[in-house]
Amino acid sequence: MGFLKVYIRVLRLLSAEATLAIILVIANLGLASAQFAEPLLFGKIIDKLAAAQAENRVPQWADLGPLVAAWIGFALFTILAAVLVALNADRLSHRRRLAVMADYFEHVLHLPLGYHSSVHSGRLLKNMLDGVGTIASVWLNFFRENCAAFAALFILLPMSLFINWRLASLLMSMVALFGALTAFVLRRTDGMQGKVEEFSSTLAERASDALGNIAVIQSFTRVEAETTALRKVSADLLTAQMPVLTWWAMAAVATRASATLTLLAIFLLGVALHINGLATIGEIVAFMSFSTMLIGRLEQVVGFINWIVAVVPKLEEFFDVLDTKPTVADKPGAIDIGRLAGRVAFEHVGFSYDNRRVAVSDASFVAEPGETIALVGSTGSGKSTTLGLLHRVFDPTEGRVTIDGIDLRDMTLLSLRRNIGVVFQEPMLFARSIEENLRVGKADATEAELRLAVERAQATDFISRQTDGLATIVGERGRSLSGGERQRVSIARALIKDPPILVFDEATSALDATTERQLQAALEAATKGRTTFVIAHRLSTIRSADRILVFDQGKVIESGAFEELIAKNGRFAELARAQFIAGSEAR
């Protein structure tokens, strides 16, 4: 069954601490053996006492002593093994839980932007928290209960055949009945819990969306509508969950009834066998104890299966994310290229998102070190995709991109991106201090480097007005700052990185005209000696670019300096006239 594969995979995550895990398994096997031995010893003692009574004599400690000593020894071992398991199982579980969470987090951060654009961040966060929490619970259940229970059911129970095969056969039949009942319930609920988890993930997505857009909800009076929608999903979740709960409630009732019937059947059969001289009183007592112990173990197993089936969809979603392979990764033998000079060449580059819709087609151009290249064109013309290929958000499906003559795919991602600073259209700040956001660009930046980057980004004045200066917490996504302030922090973050290549994706779109003019001069100074790519819709910001590439439907249709393209009276001139900046030059 599917849940067994998931269960085994969860246990395999303990391989990093395999030695301790094996010790705990051995301790559990010892516990199960000790618990199996205790009823057997008790039965032997009963038989000794019964034999002495039948012979009308007083029992002797010489006969009982070894059995009592063995019983005491097993009891002490049980205590010590239980302490060993209790102390180490929890510690192992918590250590591995945090390690697996870190592995998941790192893996998600390496997944391409295309993946993140199609998967809600609320779902990924829920998968991480639910997944690692459930995995830790599986480990604890395994070491505290399941390992000993499985050993008792599948190893020790068959050994009871050597004590009295008739009573053992009845007990094993009852266990088989339990198994059949559980399998029946599993078949009936197969797939139901998957729907439950899907509704649960949808609930997390809607809640995350609403909490992340409070301003929109309040401004457009959507509080009641969003609450109603959330309650609708909650109702769907409950409707899907109820049949599963009903089936497992029926299984729990049947399990309890079967437990009572098992004890009664063992007692009646034992009496019948004793009357016919086929079972001793001690064996009857031992098997009654076996029955009680095994029924408890069976209830643990049934309860565990009930729980694991309920959480398997969570674990499957967790593992689905872990199994997602990054489309962009270091190839074997990729090199750390150190600091590059910055000569960028696109050689007949093509890219398609789905092998049908072409985003970039036969793009070929060269940017020499220190040049500023502007990319313009209508929305969807392929500008951002082209520069995404430069810092390997994705890899080209045709041609190649090189820096200093080296194919990007021959470099490690870390060393490539260390050489490129990107200022995105959306600032995307962390809910941390301004200084921490700046240090994302360079963690070990000095105070002088921080000040210089802030000055170049024209951010000194607004930062100085903050109560805590650089220590000011900017809130989720930088919401405590204005759009222009967020963008200036984003620009400073890229500048402090001091890369040989800079990419500005509509970097000044959120700035007012005055600040933009101030920043333009600062950026020209900051980008000297660096290869700079600028995506711009406001053509006034790229007059000084060394070359302008005009994109249309993924192709470069024009290339040249600002005045040169105006004079051609082509596509660029049309864009210029539309923005009323070409004036008489376009006429």
Side-chain angles (χ1 to χ4, degrees), residues 10 12-17 90-108 128 131-133 135-136 139 318-319 322:
V10 170
R12 282 167 51 197
L13 291 174
L14 293 170
S15 59
E17 297 196 48
D90 286 63
R91 296 175 182 179
L92 173 62
S93 176
H94 284 293
R95 281 198 304 271
R96 292 301 303 148
R97 176 179 66 87
L98 295 175
V100 170
M101 180 186 291
D103 291 342
Y104 175 98
F105 183 72
E106 181 181 12
H107 177 76
V108 168
M128 181 177 75
V132 296
I135 286 170
W139 291 332
F318 181 86
F319 288 127
L322 281 183

Side-chain angles (χ1 to χ4, degrees), residues 165-184:
W165 69 268
R166 295 175 179 84
L167 289 171
S169 297
L170 176 61
L171 195 53
M172 292 175 69
S173 298
M174 300 305 290
V175 170
L177 181 61
F178 274 114
L181 173 65
T182 304
F184 174 75

Side-chain angles (χ1 to χ4, degrees), residues 59 114 140 197 287 324 475:
L140 286 175
E197 190 57 31
F287 270 91
T324 301

Side-chain angles (χ1 to χ4, degrees), residues 96-388:
R96 292 301 303 148
R97 176 179 66 87
L98 295 175
V100 170
M101 180 186 291
D103 291 342
Y104 175 98
F105 183 72
E106 181 181 12
H107 177 76
V108 168
L109 293 183
H110 277 100
L111 291 177
L113 293 179
Y115 175 85
H116 288 282
S117 66
S118 62
V119 179
H120 198 283
S121 59
R123 180 181 287 262
L124 290 174
L125 179 61
K126 175 184 176 296
N127 285 347
M128 181 177 75
L129 297 178
D130 284 357
V132 296
T134 302
I135 286 170
S137 296
V138 170
W139 291 332
L140 286 175
N141 280 329
F142 177 75
F143 289 122
R144 289 175 178 173
E145 299 173 356
N146 299 336
C147 184
F150 293 147
L153 292 175
F154 301 114
I155 299 175
L156 301 177
L157 178 58
M159 292 176 62
S160 64
L161 289 167
F162 296 102
I163 301 171
N164 188 306
W165 69 268
R166 295 175 179 84
L167 289 171
S169 297
L170 176 61
L171 195 53
M172 292 175 69
S173 298
M174 300 305 290
V175 170
L177 181 61
F178 274 114
L181 173 65
T182 304
F184 174 75
V185 173
L186 282 174
R187 283 195 297 272
R188 297 295 298 183
T189 57
D190 186 33
M192 290 183 183
Q193 193 62 36
K195 294 180 181 178
V196 172
E197 190 57 31
E198 183 61 33
F199 283 124
S200 182
S201 294
T202 302
L203 193 69
E205 287 182 5
R206 290 201 70 93
S208 177
D209 261 347
L211 295 174
N213 292 281
I214 291 293
V216 175
I217 289 173
Q218 293 180 350
S219 176
F220 287 85
T221 63
R222 291 279 305 174
V223 172
E224 184 176 351
E226 290 296 324
T227 303
T228 300
L230 193 71
R231 285 177 176 162
K232 172 64 168 58
V233 177
S234 299
D236 291 339
L237 171 61
L238 196 59
T239 300
Q241 183 75 75
M242 283 304 176
V244 180
L245 297 177
T246 299
W247 275 107
W248 283 106
M250 292 172 61
V253 172
T255 299
R256 177 56 58 188
S258 299
T260 303
L261 292 175
T262 298
L263 288 172
L264 181 61
I266 289 291
F267 176 74
L268 293 176
L269 178 61
V271 170
L273 291 174
H274 179 67
I275 291 173
N276 290 281
L278 298 175
T280 66
I281 295 174
E283 288 174 346
I284 296 173
V285 171
F287 270 91
M288 290 291 289
S289 297
F290 287 154
S291 299
T292 302
M293 179 187 71
L294 289 173
I295 287 167
R297 293 300 190 185
L298 280 169
E299 289 180 337
Q300 287 176 354
V301 170
V302 170
F304 164 73
I305 293 175
N306 180 3
W307 175 76
I308 195 71
V309 168
V311 301
V312 155
K314 293 180 182 179
L315 296 173
E316 287 177 336
E317 284 198 13
F318 181 86
F319 288 127
D320 282 344
V321 175
L322 281 183
D323 291 340
T324 301
K325 301 297 182 184
T327 54
V328 175
D330 290 340
K331 75 176 189 179
I335 60 172
D336 185 328
I337 37 73
R339 186 174 178 86
L340 294 163
R343 184 182 189 276
V344 176
F346 278 66
E347 301 174 8
H348 304 288
V349 171
F351 177 75
S352 172
Y353 285 103
D354 51 14
N355 295 321
R356 289 176 295 183
R357 180 169 52 93
V358 176
V360 178
S361 176
D362 196 30
S364 294
F365 58 87
V366 176
E368 297 295 341
E371 281 191 329
T372 295
I373 308 295
L375 287 73
V376 301
S378 57
T379 301
S381 60
K383 309 180 299 296
S384 294
T385 301
T386 299
L387 292 188

